[in-house]
């Protein structure tokens, strides 16, 4: 238990400080930079800041759930997905930097909130915890599709990152369902959407 707490603390610090290793190279690698004006760059950087906050939360959610998951098989699947979320975290941070933007100042807050949520979902048992995960991934997928509609075709590097993340999130959702996720009640999904709306609106600015 102490080991798990130390590992969690280490992960939290690295997430908030932006120090993570990637398993996979960024999907933007080798994709040429488009000619973007200042407005397009600022907008893309703000969208990527929102996505980066989402990935900070994903770290905390997966970590909270891996700490409380009962089935060893589920714990392994959560840990694997968490590694892919780490790639997303690094890819989005790198793109924000390229665009001349900055990550959210509230990252420690986002991380803490999501960790509590993840642990709470985990405490309800694996079926509900996976249900929460599957719905989160589903909403993130939709949200990233929205960004792909908003980002100019010219911004191929940002689009490459967002597209690859969306593909991963779809797989995370499918794997949560394959592991036996329950279906969340509609009102719970609505509350999650409302919370996500607050988060994305704030993160777009701060
Ligand atoms: Fe992700
Ligand atoms: Fe995911």
């Amino acid at each position: 238990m102490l080991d798990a707490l130390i590992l969690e603390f280490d992960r939290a610090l690295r997430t908030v400080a932006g120090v993570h290793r990637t398993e996979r190279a960024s999907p933007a690698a080798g994709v040429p930079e488009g000619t973007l004006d200042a407005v397009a760059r600022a907008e893309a950087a703000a969208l990527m800041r929102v996505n980066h906050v989402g990935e900070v939360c994903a770290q905390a959610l997966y970590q909270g759930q891996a700490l409380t998951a009962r089935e060893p098989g589920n714990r392994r699947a959560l840990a694997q997905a968490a590694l892919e979320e780490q790639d997303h975290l690094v890819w989005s941070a790198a793109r924000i930097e390229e665009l001349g933007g900055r990550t959210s100042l509230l990252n420690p807050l986002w991380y803490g909130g999501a960790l509590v949520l993840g642990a709470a979902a985990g405490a309800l048992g694996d079926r509900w915890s996976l249900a929460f995960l599957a719905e989160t991934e589903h909403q993130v997928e939709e949200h990233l599709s929205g960004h792909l509609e908003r980002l100019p075709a010219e911004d191929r590097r940002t689009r490459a990152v967002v597209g690859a993340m969306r593909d991963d999130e779809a797989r995370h959702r499918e794997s949560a369902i394959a592991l036996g996720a329950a279906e969340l009640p509609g009102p719970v999904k609505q509350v999650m959407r409302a919370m996500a709306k607050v988060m994305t609106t704030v993160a777009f600015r701060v």
Side-chain angles (χ1 to χ4, degrees):
M1 185 64 195
L2 187 63
D3 284 359
L5 279 177
I6 291 170
L7 270 177
E8 161 51 25
F9 189 60
D10 177 63
R11 177 191 294 259
L13 279 181
R14 281 187 294 131
T15 298
V16 170
V19 191
H20 270 301
R21 280 179 298 121
T22 45
E23 298 281 308
R24 299 166 293 166
S26 171
V31 177
E33 185 67 81
T35 30
L36 302 170
D37 62 22
V39 175
R41 286 175 80 83
E43 159 111 357
L47 291 178
M48 289 311 281
R49 177 165 59 245
V50 171
N51 296 337
H52 183 264
V53 165
E55 299 301 336
V56 166
C57 292
Q59 285 301 305
L61 278 179
Y62 272 103
Q63 189 58 12
Q65 294 188 296
L67 284 173
T68 47
R70 308 220 187 353
E71 273 284 315
N74 290 353
R75 266 207 300 273
R76 270 195 300 278
L78 290 167
Q80 178 55 40
L83 272 183
E84 297 187 0
E85 303 293 3
Q86 237 173 70
D87 290 345
H88 298 176
L89 192 68
V90 176
W91 299 344
S92 359
R95 188 57 188 147
I96 291 171
E97 207 180 318
E98 286 173 8
L99 289 162
R102 52 158 183 77
T103 53
S104 172
L105 299 170
L106 303 176
N107 276 340
L109 204 71
W110 302 124
Y111 189 94
L115 184 68
V116 171
L117 262 182
L124 295 174
D126 286 5
R127 251 170 62 78
W128 291 107
S129 165
L130 289 167
F132 175 68
L133 202 71
E135 178 60 19
T136 303
E137 297 286 7
H138 170 64
Q139 293 189 14
V140 174
E141 236 178 291
E142 281 184 355
H143 161 88
L144 293 175
S145 295
H147 280 195
L148 285 175
E149 275 167 32
R150 236 168 119 173
L151 286 163
E154 182 63 16
D155 191 356
R156 287 194 295 273
R157 286 180 70 82
T158 307
R159 298 182 65 87
V161 172
V162 173
M165 295 199 313
R166 185 179 61 172
D167 293 348
D168 282 351
E169 315 306 10
R171 273 189 303 101
H172 296 160
R173 173 177 52 77
E174 283 160 15
S175 100
I177 291 169
L179 289 168
E183 177 78 21
L184 286 182
V188 175
K189 294 182 185 178
Q190 287 314 113
V191 170
M192 287 170 68
R193 269 185 205 284
M195 283 169 62
K197 181 80 198 149
V198 172
M199 185 270 262
T200 53
T201 308
V202 174
F204 190 78
R205 283 154 225 284
V206 192

